[in-house]
mmCIF file with all atom_site columns, all heavy atoms in Angstrom:
data_model
loop_
_atom_site.group_PDB
_atom_site.id
_atom_site.type_symbol
_atom_site.label_atom_id
_atom_site.label_alt_id
_atom_site.label_comp_id
_atom_site.label_asym_id
_atom_site.label_entity_id
_atom_site.label_seq_id
_atom_site.pdbx_PDB_ins_code
_atom_site.Cartn_x
_atom_site.Cartn_y
_atom_site.Cartn_z
_atom_site.occupancy
_atom_site.B_iso_or_equiv
_atom_site.pdbx_formal_charge
_atom_site.auth_seq_id
_atom_site.auth_comp_id
_atom_site.auth_asym_id
_atom_site.auth_atom_id
_atom_site.pdbx_PDB_model_num
ATOM 1   N N   . MET A 1 1  ? -40.875 11.307  -22.761 1.00 0.00 ? 1  MET A N   1
ATOM 2   C CA  . MET A 1 1  ? -41.288 9.917   -22.709 1.00 0.00 ? 1  MET A CA  1
ATOM 3   C C   . MET A 1 1  ? -41.066 9.424   -21.275 1.00 0.00 ? 1  MET A C   1
ATOM 4   O O   . MET A 1 1  ? -39.987 9.588   -20.730 1.00 0.00 ? 1  MET A O   1
ATOM 5   C CB  . MET A 1 1  ? -40.473 9.111   -23.715 1.00 0.00 ? 1  MET A CB  1
ATOM 6   C CG  . MET A 1 1  ? -40.923 7.700   -23.840 1.00 0.00 ? 1  MET A CG  1
ATOM 7   S SD  . MET A 1 1  ? -39.999 6.683   -25.031 1.00 0.00 ? 1  MET A SD  1
ATOM 8   C CE  . MET A 1 1  ? -39.765 7.715   -26.420 1.00 0.00 ? 1  MET A CE  1
ATOM 9   N N   . ASP A 1 2  ? -42.069 8.822   -20.717 1.00 0.00 ? 2  ASP A N   1
ATOM 10  C CA  . ASP A 1 2  ? -41.932 8.364   -19.342 1.00 0.00 ? 2  ASP A CA  1
ATOM 11  C C   . ASP A 1 2  ? -41.129 7.060   -19.273 1.00 0.00 ? 2  ASP A C   1
ATOM 12  O O   . ASP A 1 2  ? -40.909 6.384   -20.266 1.00 0.00 ? 2  ASP A O   1
ATOM 13  C CB  . ASP A 1 2  ? -43.285 8.226   -18.666 1.00 0.00 ? 2  ASP A CB  1
ATOM 14  C CG  . ASP A 1 2  ? -44.170 7.168   -19.312 1.00 0.00 ? 2  ASP A CG  1
ATOM 15  O OD1 . ASP A 1 2  ? -43.850 6.730   -20.430 1.00 0.00 ? 2  ASP A OD1 1
ATOM 16  O OD2 . ASP A 1 2  ? -45.169 6.774   -18.690 1.00 0.00 ? 2  ASP A OD2 1
ATOM 17  N N   . ALA A 1 3  ? -40.697 6.732   -18.066 1.00 0.00 ? 3  ALA A N   1
ATOM 18  C CA  . ALA A 1 3  ? -39.812 5.579   -17.856 1.00 0.00 ? 3  ALA A CA  1
ATOM 19  C C   . ALA A 1 3  ? -40.477 4.264   -18.238 1.00 0.00 ? 3  ALA A C   1
ATOM 20  O O   . ALA A 1 3  ? -39.822 3.352   -18.758 1.00 0.00 ? 3  ALA A O   1
ATOM 21  C CB  . ALA A 1 3  ? -39.366 5.538   -16.395 1.00 0.00 ? 3  ALA A CB  1
ATOM 22  N N   . GLU A 1 4  ? -41.777 4.144   -17.983 1.00 0.00 ? 4  GLU A N   1
ATOM 23  C CA  . GLU A 1 4  ? -42.483 2.904   -18.305 1.00 0.00 ? 4  GLU A CA  1
ATOM 24  C C   . GLU A 1 4  ? -42.499 2.651   -19.812 1.00 0.00 ? 4  GLU A C   1
ATOM 25  O O   . GLU A 1 4  ? -42.255 1.533   -20.280 1.00 0.00 ? 4  GLU A O   1
ATOM 26  C CB  . GLU A 1 4  ? -43.915 2.971   -17.770 1.00 0.00 ? 4  GLU A CB  1
ATOM 27  C CG  . GLU A 1 4  ? -44.685 1.683   -17.955 1.00 0.00 ? 4  GLU A CG  1
ATOM 28  C CD  . GLU A 1 4  ? -46.088 1.770   -17.366 1.00 0.00 ? 4  GLU A CD  1
ATOM 29  O OE1 . GLU A 1 4  ? -46.286 2.501   -16.379 1.00 0.00 ? 4  GLU A OE1 1
ATOM 30  O OE2 . GLU A 1 4  ? -46.969 1.082   -17.919 1.00 0.00 ? 4  GLU A OE2 1
ATOM 31  N N   . MET A 1 5  ? -42.768 3.696   -20.586 1.00 0.00 ? 5  MET A N   1
ATOM 32  C CA  . MET A 1 5  ? -42.786 3.578   -22.046 1.00 0.00 ? 5  MET A CA  1
ATOM 33  C C   . MET A 1 5  ? -41.390 3.244   -22.568 1.00 0.00 ? 5  MET A C   1
ATOM 34  O O   . MET A 1 5  ? -41.232 2.399   -23.455 1.00 0.00 ? 5  MET A O   1
ATOM 35  C CB  . MET A 1 5  ? -43.284 4.873   -22.678 1.00 0.00 ? 5  MET A CB  1
ATOM 36  C CG  . MET A 1 5  ? -43.322 4.816   -24.182 1.00 0.00 ? 5  MET A CG  1
ATOM 37  S SD  . MET A 1 5  ? -44.530 3.660   -24.803 1.00 0.00 ? 5  MET A SD  1
ATOM 38  C CE  . MET A 1 5  ? -45.900 4.747   -24.979 1.00 0.00 ? 5  MET A CE  1
ATOM 39  N N   . LYS A 1 6  ? -40.376 3.875   -22.014 1.00 0.00 ? 6  LYS A N   1
ATOM 40  C CA  . LYS A 1 6  ? -38.996 3.621   -22.432 1.00 0.00 ? 6  LYS A CA  1
ATOM 41  C C   . LYS A 1 6  ? -38.622 2.163   -22.164 1.00 0.00 ? 6  LYS A C   1
ATOM 42  O O   . LYS A 1 6  ? -38.010 1.507   -23.004 1.00 0.00 ? 6  LYS A O   1
ATOM 43  C CB  . LYS A 1 6  ? -38.058 4.563   -21.681 1.00 0.00 ? 6  LYS A CB  1
ATOM 44  C CG  . LYS A 1 6  ? -36.699 4.704   -22.322 1.00 0.00 ? 6  LYS A CG  1
ATOM 45  C CD  . LYS A 1 6  ? -35.853 5.712   -21.580 1.00 0.00 ? 6  LYS A CD  1
ATOM 46  C CE  . LYS A 1 6  ? -36.240 7.105   -22.005 1.00 0.00 ? 6  LYS A CE  1
ATOM 47  N NZ  . LYS A 1 6  ? -35.312 8.133   -21.514 1.00 0.00 ? 6  LYS A NZ  1
ATOM 48  N N   . GLN A 1 7  ? -39.028 1.648   -20.997 1.00 0.00 ? 7  GLN A N   1
ATOM 49  C CA  . GLN A 1 7  ? -38.743 0.257   -20.641 1.00 0.00 ? 7  GLN A CA  1
ATOM 50  C C   . GLN A 1 7  ? -39.448 -0.704  -21.598 1.00 0.00 ? 7  GLN A C   1
ATOM 51  O O   . GLN A 1 7  ? -38.884 -1.716  -22.018 1.00 0.00 ? 7  GLN A O   1
ATOM 52  C CB  . GLN A 1 7  ? -39.148 -0.029  -19.192 1.00 0.00 ? 7  GLN A CB  1
ATOM 53  C CG  . GLN A 1 7  ? -38.799 -1.429  -18.725 1.00 0.00 ? 7  GLN A CG  1
ATOM 54  C CD  . GLN A 1 7  ? -37.309 -1.706  -18.763 1.00 0.00 ? 7  GLN A CD  1
ATOM 55  O OE1 . GLN A 1 7  ? -36.486 -0.821  -18.560 1.00 0.00 ? 7  GLN A OE1 1
ATOM 56  N NE2 . GLN A 1 7  ? -36.955 -2.945  -19.054 1.00 0.00 ? 7  GLN A NE2 1
ATOM 57  N N   . MET A 1 8  ? -40.687 -0.393  -21.959 1.00 0.00 ? 8  MET A N   1
ATOM 58  C CA  . MET A 1 8  ? -41.426 -1.235  -22.903 1.00 0.00 ? 8  MET A CA  1
ATOM 59  C C   . MET A 1 8  ? -40.747 -1.268  -24.260 1.00 0.00 ? 8  MET A C   1
ATOM 60  O O   . MET A 1 8  ? -40.653 -2.323  -24.897 1.00 0.00 ? 8  MET A O   1
ATOM 61  C CB  . MET A 1 8  ? -42.867 -0.728  -23.051 1.00 0.00 ? 8  MET A CB  1
ATOM 62  C CG  . MET A 1 8  ? -43.741 -1.051  -21.862 1.00 0.00 ? 8  MET A CG  1
ATOM 63  S SD  . MET A 1 8  ? -45.399 -0.337  -21.982 1.00 0.00 ? 8  MET A SD  1
ATOM 64  C CE  . MET A 1 8  ? -45.989 -0.987  -23.525 1.00 0.00 ? 8  MET A CE  1
ATOM 65  N N   . LEU A 1 9  ? -40.236 -0.128  -24.717 1.00 0.00 ? 9  LEU A N   1
ATOM 66  C CA  . LEU A 1 9  ? -39.537 -0.074  -26.004 1.00 0.00 ? 9  LEU A CA  1
ATOM 67  C C   . LEU A 1 9  ? -38.238 -0.871  -25.965 1.00 0.00 ? 9  LEU A C   1
ATOM 68  O O   . LEU A 1 9  ? -37.888 -1.551  -26.934 1.00 0.00 ? 9  LEU A O   1
ATOM 69  C CB  . LEU A 1 9  ? -39.280 1.374   -26.402 1.00 0.00 ? 9  LEU A CB  1
ATOM 70  C CG  . LEU A 1 9  ? -40.504 2.177   -26.811 1.00 0.00 ? 9  LEU A CG  1
ATOM 71  C CD1 . LEU A 1 9  ? -40.141 3.640   -27.008 1.00 0.00 ? 9  LEU A CD1 1
ATOM 72  C CD2 . LEU A 1 9  ? -41.138 1.604   -28.064 1.00 0.00 ? 9  LEU A CD2 1
ATOM 73  N N   . ILE A 1 10 ? -37.541 -0.809  -24.853 1.00 0.00 ? 10 ILE A N   1
ATOM 74  C CA  . ILE A 1 10 ? -36.301 -1.585  -24.707 1.00 0.00 ? 10 ILE A CA  1
ATOM 75  C C   . ILE A 1 10 ? -36.613 -3.078  -24.749 1.00 0.00 ? 10 ILE A C   1
ATOM 76  O O   . ILE A 1 10 ? -35.921 -3.852  -25.418 1.00 0.00 ? 10 ILE A O   1
ATOM 77  C CB  . ILE A 1 10 ? -35.569 -1.194  -23.412 1.00 0.00 ? 10 ILE A CB  1
ATOM 78  C CG1 . ILE A 1 10 ? -34.993 0.220   -23.558 1.00 0.00 ? 10 ILE A CG1 1
ATOM 79  C CG2 . ILE A 1 10 ? -34.467 -2.191  -23.076 1.00 0.00 ? 10 ILE A CG2 1
ATOM 80  C CD1 . ILE A 1 10 ? -34.454 0.802   -22.263 1.00 0.00 ? 10 ILE A CD1 1
ATOM 81  N N   . GLU A 1 11 ? -37.658 -3.495  -24.056 1.00 0.00 ? 11 GLU A N   1
ATOM 82  C CA  . GLU A 1 11 ? -38.049 -4.906  -24.062 1.00 0.00 ? 11 GLU A CA  1
ATOM 83  C C   . GLU A 1 11 ? -38.473 -5.356  -25.453 1.00 0.00 ? 11 GLU A C   1
ATOM 84  O O   . GLU A 1 11 ? -38.144 -6.467  -25.888 1.00 0.00 ? 11 GLU A O   1
ATOM 85  C CB  . GLU A 1 11 ? -39.178 -5.140  -23.061 1.00 0.00 ? 11 GLU A CB  1
ATOM 86  C CG  . GLU A 1 11 ? -38.739 -5.063  -21.624 1.00 0.00 ? 11 GLU A CG  1
ATOM 87  C CD  . GLU A 1 11 ? -39.897 -5.182  -20.653 1.00 0.00 ? 11 GLU A CD  1
ATOM 88  O OE1 . GLU A 1 11 ? -40.995 -5.613  -21.057 1.00 0.00 ? 11 GLU A OE1 1
ATOM 89  O OE2 . GLU A 1 11 ? -39.693 -4.851  -19.466 1.00 0.00 ? 11 GLU A OE2 1
ATOM 90  N N   . LEU A 1 12 ? -39.185 -4.497  -26.170 1.00 0.00 ? 12 LEU A N   1
ATOM 91  C CA  . LEU A 1 12 ? -39.599 -4.813  -27.533 1.00 0.00 ? 12 LEU A CA  1
ATOM 92  C C   . LEU A 1 12 ? -38.385 -4.978  -28.440 1.00 0.00 ? 12 LEU A C   1
ATOM 93  O O   . LEU A 1 12 ? -38.303 -5.925  -29.218 1.00 0.00 ? 12 LEU A O   1
ATOM 94  C CB  . LEU A 1 12 ? -40.529 -3.727  -28.074 1.00 0.00 ? 12 LEU A CB  1
ATOM 95  C CG  . LEU A 1 12 ? -41.030 -3.906  -29.494 1.00 0.00 ? 12 LEU A CG  1
ATOM 96  C CD1 . LEU A 1 12 ? -41.855 -5.183  -29.612 1.00 0.00 ? 12 LEU A CD1 1
ATOM 97  C CD2 . LEU A 1 12 ? -41.848 -2.704  -29.906 1.00 0.00 ? 12 LEU A CD2 1
ATOM 98  N N   . ARG A 1 13 ? -37.429 -4.062  -28.331 1.00 0.00 ? 13 ARG A N   1
ATOM 99  C CA  . ARG A 1 13 ? -36.213 -4.148  -29.146 1.00 0.00 ? 13 ARG A CA  1
ATOM 100 C C   . ARG A 1 13 ? -35.460 -5.435  -28.840 1.00 0.00 ? 13 ARG A C   1
ATOM 101 O O   . ARG A 1 13 ? -34.987 -6.131  -29.752 1.00 0.00 ? 13 ARG A O   1
ATOM 102 C CB  . ARG A 1 13 ? -35.320 -2.940  -28.895 1.00 0.00 ? 13 ARG A CB  1
ATOM 103 C CG  . ARG A 1 13 ? -34.067 -2.967  -29.793 1.00 0.00 ? 13 ARG A CG  1
ATOM 104 C CD  . ARG A 1 13 ? -33.075 -1.923  -29.430 1.00 0.00 ? 13 ARG A CD  1
ATOM 105 N NE  . ARG A 1 13 ? -32.565 -2.227  -28.099 1.00 0.00 ? 13 ARG A NE  1
ATOM 106 C CZ  . ARG A 1 13 ? -32.028 -1.344  -27.280 1.00 0.00 ? 13 ARG A CZ  1
ATOM 107 N NH1 . ARG A 1 13 ? -31.950 -0.089  -27.643 1.00 0.00 ? 13 ARG A NH1 1
ATOM 108 N NH2 . ARG A 1 13 ? -31.583 -1.705  -26.107 1.00 0.00 ? 13 ARG A NH2 1
ATOM 109 N N   . ASN A 1 14 ? -35.347 -5.798  -27.567 1.00 0.00 ? 14 ASN A N   1
ATOM 110 C CA  . ASN A 1 14 ? -34.654 -7.030  -27.189 1.00 0.00 ? 14 ASN A CA  1
ATOM 111 C C   . ASN A 1 14 ? -35.372 -8.260  -27.727 1.00 0.00 ? 14 ASN A C   1
ATOM 112 O O   . ASN A 1 14 ? -34.732 -9.222  -28.173 1.00 0.00 ? 14 ASN A O   1
ATOM 113 C CB  . ASN A 1 14 ? -34.501 -7.114  -25.675 1.00 0.00 ? 14 ASN A CB  1
ATOM 114 C CG  . ASN A 1 14 ? -33.535 -6.091  -25.141 1.00 0.00 ? 14 ASN A CG  1
ATOM 115 O OD1 . ASN A 1 14 ? -32.704 -5.561  -25.873 1.00 0.00 ? 14 ASN A OD1 1
ATOM 116 N ND2 . ASN A 1 14 ? -33.648 -5.792  -23.862 1.00 0.00 ? 14 ASN A ND2 1
ATOM 117 N N   . SER A 1 15 ? -36.694 -8.234  -27.725 1.00 0.00 ? 15 SER A N   1
ATOM 118 C CA  . SER A 1 15 ? -37.475 -9.352  -28.272 1.00 0.00 ? 15 SER A CA  1
ATOM 119 C C   . SER A 1 15 ? -37.256 -9.483  -29.770 1.00 0.00 ? 15 SER A C   1
ATOM 120 O O   . SER A 1 15 ? -37.101 -10.586 -30.293 1.00 0.00 ? 15 SER A O   1
ATOM 121 C CB  . SER A 1 15 ? -38.958 -9.155  -27.985 1.00 0.00 ? 15 SER A CB  1
ATOM 122 O OG  . SER A 1 15 ? -39.203 -9.175  -26.609 1.00 0.00 ? 15 SER A OG  1
ATOM 123 N N   . ILE A 1 16 ? -37.238 -8.362  -30.456 1.00 0.00 ? 16 ILE A N   1
ATOM 124 C CA  . ILE A 1 16 ? -37.002 -8.379  -31.908 1.00 0.00 ? 16 ILE A CA  1
ATOM 125 C C   . ILE A 1 16 ? -35.604 -8.900  -32.205 1.00 0.00 ? 16 ILE A C   1
ATOM 126 O O   . ILE A 1 16 ? -35.413 -9.697  -33.127 1.00 0.00 ? 16 ILE A O   1
ATOM 127 C CB  . ILE A 1 16 ? -37.232 -6.982  -32.508 1.00 0.00 ? 16 ILE A CB  1
ATOM 128 C CG1 . ILE A 1 16 ? -38.724 -6.649  -32.454 1.00 0.00 ? 16 ILE A CG1 1
ATOM 129 C CG2 . ILE A 1 16 ? -36.711 -6.909  -33.933 1.00 0.00 ? 16 ILE A CG2 1
ATOM 130 C CD1 . ILE A 1 16 ? -39.063 -5.224  -32.826 1.00 0.00 ? 16 ILE A CD1 1
ATOM 131 N N   . ASP A 1 17 ? -34.611 -8.461  -31.432 1.00 0.00 ? 17 ASP A N   1
ATOM 132 C CA  . ASP A 1 17 ? -33.245 -8.950  -31.631 1.00 0.00 ? 17 ASP A CA  1
ATOM 133 C C   . ASP A 1 17 ? -33.163 -10.460 -31.445 1.00 0.00 ? 17 ASP A C   1
ATOM 134 O O   . ASP A 1 17 ? -32.485 -11.156 -32.203 1.00 0.00 ? 17 ASP A O   1
ATOM 135 C CB  . ASP A 1 17 ? -32.279 -8.258  -30.665 1.00 0.00 ? 17 ASP A CB  1
ATOM 136 C CG  . ASP A 1 17 ? -32.017 -6.806  -31.033 1.00 0.00 ? 17 ASP A CG  1
ATOM 137 O OD1 . ASP A 1 17 ? -32.334 -6.410  -32.171 1.00 0.00 ? 17 ASP A OD1 1
ATOM 138 O OD2 . ASP A 1 17 ? -31.509 -6.072  -30.169 1.00 0.00 ? 17 ASP A OD2 1
ATOM 139 N N   . THR A 1 18 ? -33.868 -10.972 -30.446 1.00 0.00 ? 18 THR A N   1
ATOM 140 C CA  . THR A 1 18 ? -33.885 -12.417 -30.196 1.00 0.00 ? 18 THR A CA  1
ATOM 141 C C   . THR A 1 18 ? -34.533 -13.156 -31.353 1.00 0.00 ? 18 THR A C   1
ATOM 142 O O   . THR A 1 18 ? -34.014 -14.183 -31.818 1.00 0.00 ? 18 THR A O   1
ATOM 143 C CB  . THR A 1 18 ? -34.636 -12.732 -28.891 1.00 0.00 ? 18 THR A CB  1
ATOM 144 O OG1 . THR A 1 18 ? -34.003 -12.030 -27.825 1.00 0.00 ? 18 THR A OG1 1
ATOM 145 C CG2 . THR A 1 18 ? -34.627 -14.219 -28.596 1.00 0.00 ? 18 THR A CG2 1
ATOM 146 N N   . LEU A 1 19 ? -35.655 -12.641 -31.848 1.00 0.00 ? 19 LEU A N   1
ATOM 147 C CA  . LEU A 1 19 ? -36.324 -13.272 -32.985 1.00 0.00 ? 19 LEU A CA  1
ATOM 148 C C   . LEU A 1 19 ? -35.455 -13.244 -34.233 1.00 0.00 ? 19 LEU A C   1
ATOM 149 O O   . LEU A 1 19 ? -35.434 -14.198 -35.011 1.00 0.00 ? 19 LEU A O   1
ATOM 150 C CB  . LEU A 1 19 ? -37.660 -12.582 -33.262 1.00 0.00 ? 19 LEU A CB  1
ATOM 151 C CG  . LEU A 1 19 ? -38.773 -12.854 -32.259 1.00 0.00 ? 19 LEU A CG  1
ATOM 152 C CD1 . LEU A 1 19 ? -39.966 -11.961 -32.554 1.00 0.00 ? 19 LEU A CD1 1
ATOM 153 C CD2 . LEU A 1 19 ? -39.178 -14.310 -32.286 1.00 0.00 ? 19 LEU A CD2 1
ATOM 154 N N   . MET A 1 20 ? -34.744 -12.148 -34.455 1.00 0.00 ? 20 MET A N   1
ATOM 155 C CA  . MET A 1 20 ? -33.880 -12.031 -35.631 1.00 0.00 ? 20 MET A CA  1
ATOM 156 C C   . MET A 1 20 ? -32.774 -13.079 -35.604 1.00 0.00 ? 20 MET A C   1
ATOM 157 O O   . MET A 1 20 ? -32.337 -13.546 -36.641 1.00 0.00 ? 20 MET A O   1
ATOM 158 C CB  . MET A 1 20 ? -33.268 -10.629 -35.713 1.00 0.00 ? 20 MET A CB  1
ATOM 159 C CG  . MET A 1 20 ? -34.268 -9.540  -36.019 1.00 0.00 ? 20 MET A CG  1
ATOM 160 S SD  . MET A 1 20 ? -35.041 -9.732  -37.619 1.00 0.00 ? 20 MET A SD  1
ATOM 161 C CE  . MET A 1 20 ? -33.726 -9.219  -38.678 1.00 0.00 ? 20 MET A CE  1
ATOM 162 N N   . THR A 1 21 ? -32.327 -13.450 -34.422 1.00 0.00 ? 21 THR A N   1
ATOM 163 C CA  . THR A 1 21 ? -31.282 -14.459 -34.304 1.00 0.00 ? 21 THR A CA  1
ATOM 164 C C   . THR A 1 21 ? -31.736 -15.779 -34.907 1.00 0.00 ? 21 THR A C   1
ATOM 165 O O   . THR A 1 21 ? -30.962 -16.478 -35.543 1.00 0.00 ? 21 THR A O   1
ATOM 166 C CB  . THR A 1 21 ? -30.921 -14.677 -32.822 1.00 0.00 ? 21 THR A CB  1
ATOM 167 O OG1 . THR A 1 21 ? -30.647 -13.422 -32.230 1.00 0.00 ? 21 THR A OG1 1
ATOM 168 C CG2 . THR A 1 21 ? -29.714 -15.559 -32.673 1.00 0.00 ? 21 THR A CG2 1
ATOM 169 N N   . PHE A 1 22 ? -33.015 -16.096 -34.717 1.00 0.00 ? 22 PHE A N   1
ATOM 170 C CA  . PHE A 1 22 ? -33.545 -17.361 -35.216 1.00 0.00 ? 22 PHE A CA  1
ATOM 171 C C   . PHE A 1 22 ? -34.120 -17.252 -36.617 1.00 0.00 ? 22 PHE A C   1
ATOM 172 O O   . PHE A 1 22 ? -34.090 -18.203 -37.383 1.00 0.00 ? 22 PHE A O   1
ATOM 173 C CB  . PHE A 1 22 ? -34.627 -17.886 -34.261 1.00 0.00 ? 22 PHE A CB  1
ATOM 174 C CG  . PHE A 1 22 ? -34.109 -18.179 -32.895 1.00 0.00 ? 22 PHE A CG  1
ATOM 175 C CD1 . PHE A 1 22 ? -34.469 -17.390 -31.823 1.00 0.00 ? 22 PHE A CD1 1
ATOM 176 C CD2 . PHE A 1 22 ? -33.246 -19.235 -32.679 1.00 0.00 ? 22 PHE A CD2 1
ATOM 177 C CE1 . PHE A 1 22 ? -33.984 -17.649 -30.555 1.00 0.00 ? 22 PHE A CE1 1
ATOM 178 C CE2 . PHE A 1 22 ? -32.750 -19.506 -31.408 1.00 0.00 ? 22 PHE A CE2 1
ATOM 179 C CZ  . PHE A 1 22 ? -33.123 -18.713 -30.347 1.00 0.00 ? 22 PHE A CZ  1
ATOM 180 N N   . ALA A 1 23 ? -34.688 -16.120 -36.979 1.00 0.00 ? 23 ALA A N   1
ATOM 181 C CA  . ALA A 1 23 ? -35.418 -15.976 -38.234 1.00 0.00 ? 23 ALA A CA  1
ATOM 182 C C   . ALA A 1 23 ? -34.535 -15.655 -39.433 1.00 0.00 ? 23 ALA A C   1
ATOM 183 O O   . ALA A 1 23 ? -34.862 -16.016 -40.553 1.00 0.00 ? 23 ALA A O   1
ATOM 184 C CB  . ALA A 1 23 ? -36.491 -14.891 -38.092 1.00 0.00 ? 23 ALA A CB  1
ATOM 185 N N   . VAL A 1 24 ? -33.423 -14.990 -39.208 1.00 0.00 ? 24 VAL A N   1
ATOM 186 C CA  . VAL A 1 24 ? -32.565 -14.545 -40.310 1.00 0.00 ? 24 VAL A CA  1
ATOM 187 C C   . VAL A 1 24 ? -31.311 -15.411 -40.341 1.00 0.00 ? 24 VAL A C   1
ATOM 188 O O   . VAL A 1 24 ? -30.634 -15.570 -39.324 1.00 0.00 ? 24 VAL A O   1
ATOM 189 C CB  . VAL A 1 24 ? -32.177 -13.060 -40.122 1.00 0.00 ? 24 VAL A CB  1
ATOM 190 C CG1 . VAL A 1 24 ? -31.275 -12.593 -41.244 1.00 0.00 ? 24 VAL A CG1 1
ATOM 191 C CG2 . VAL A 1 24 ? -33.419 -12.193 -40.051 1.00 0.00 ? 24 VAL A CG2 1
ATOM 192 N N   . PRO A 1 25 ? -30.991 -15.976 -41.504 1.00 0.00 ? 25 PRO A N   1
ATOM 193 C CA  . PRO A 1 25 ? -29.775 -16.801 -41.598 1.00 0.00 ? 25 PRO A CA  1
ATOM 194 C C   . PRO A 1 25 ? -28.518 -15.941 -41.409 1.00 0.00 ? 25 PRO A C   1
ATOM 195 O O   . PRO A 1 25 ? -28.539 -14.728 -41.622 1.00 0.00 ? 25 PRO A O   1
ATOM 196 C CB  . PRO A 1 25 ? -29.844 -17.376 -43.018 1.00 0.00 ? 25 PRO A CB  1
ATOM 197 C CG  . PRO A 1 25 ? -30.739 -16.470 -43.764 1.00 0.00 ? 25 PRO A CG  1
ATOM 198 C CD  . PRO A 1 25 ? -31.694 -15.886 -42.774 1.00 0.00 ? 25 PRO A CD  1
ATOM 199 N N   . GLU A 1 26 ? -27.428 -16.571 -41.019 1.00 0.00 ? 26 GLU A N   1
ATOM 200 C CA  . GLU A 1 26 ? -26.170 -15.851 -40.788 1.00 0.00 ? 26 GLU A CA  1
ATOM 201 C C   . GLU A 1 26 ? -25.641 -15.228 -42.083 1.00 0.00 ? 26 GLU A C   1
ATOM 202 O O   . GLU A 1 26 ? -25.089 -14.139 -42.073 1.00 0.00 ? 26 GLU A O   1
ATOM 203 C CB  . GLU A 1 26 ? -25.133 -16.796 -40.187 1.00 0.00 ? 26 GLU A CB  1
ATOM 204 C CG  . GLU A 1 26 ? -23.865 -16.115 -39.741 1.00 0.00 ? 26 GLU A CG  1
ATOM 205 C CD  . GLU A 1 26 ? -24.074 -15.108 -38.614 1.00 0.00 ? 26 GLU A CD  1
ATOM 206 O OE1 . GLU A 1 26 ? -24.981 -15.288 -37.797 1.00 0.00 ? 26 GLU A OE1 1
ATOM 207 O OE2 . GLU A 1 26 ? -23.308 -14.134 -38.556 1.00 0.00 ? 26 GLU A OE2 1
ATOM 208 N N   . TRP A 1 27 ? -25.796 -15.916 -43.211 1.00 0.00 ? 27 TRP A N   1
ATOM 209 C CA  . TRP A 1 27 ? -25.354 -15.420 -44.518 1.00 0.00 ? 27 TRP A CA  1
ATOM 210 C C   . TRP A 1 27 ? -26.531 -15.452 -45.486 1.00 0.00 ? 27 TRP A C   1
ATOM 211 O O   . TRP A 1 27 ? -27.316 -16.385 -45.470 1.00 0.00 ? 27 TRP A O   1
ATOM 212 C CB  . TRP A 1 27 ? -24.228 -16.289 -45.078 1.00 0.00 ? 27 TRP A CB  1
ATOM 213 C CG  . TRP A 1 27 ? -22.971 -16.225 -44.281 1.00 0.00 ? 27 TRP A CG  1
ATOM 214 C CD1 . TRP A 1 27 ? -22.606 -17.051 -43.267 1.00 0.00 ? 27 TRP A CD1 1
ATOM 215 C CD2 . TRP A 1 27 ? -21.916 -15.274 -44.418 1.00 0.00 ? 27 TRP A CD2 1
ATOM 216 N NE1 . TRP A 1 27 ? -21.388 -16.685 -42.763 1.00 0.00 ? 27 TRP A NE1 1
ATOM 217 C CE2 . TRP A 1 27 ? -20.933 -15.603 -43.455 1.00 0.00 ? 27 TRP A CE2 1
ATOM 218 C CE3 . TRP A 1 27 ? -21.701 -14.191 -45.257 1.00 0.00 ? 27 TRP A CE3 1
ATOM 219 C CZ2 . TRP A 1 27 ? -19.761 -14.872 -43.310 1.00 0.00 ? 27 TRP A CZ2 1
ATOM 220 C CZ3 . TRP A 1 27 ? -20.527 -13.469 -45.113 1.00 0.00 ? 27 TRP A CZ3 1
ATOM 221 C CH2 . TRP A 1 27 ? -19.564 -13.799 -44.157 1.00 0.00 ? 27 TRP A CH2 1
#
């Protein structure tokens, strides 16, 4: 996997983590 693809996947994961913070309740 090239570096550009790896960077895109990392950014996607970070975006999903950010969305989960707002979309999913704490409990």
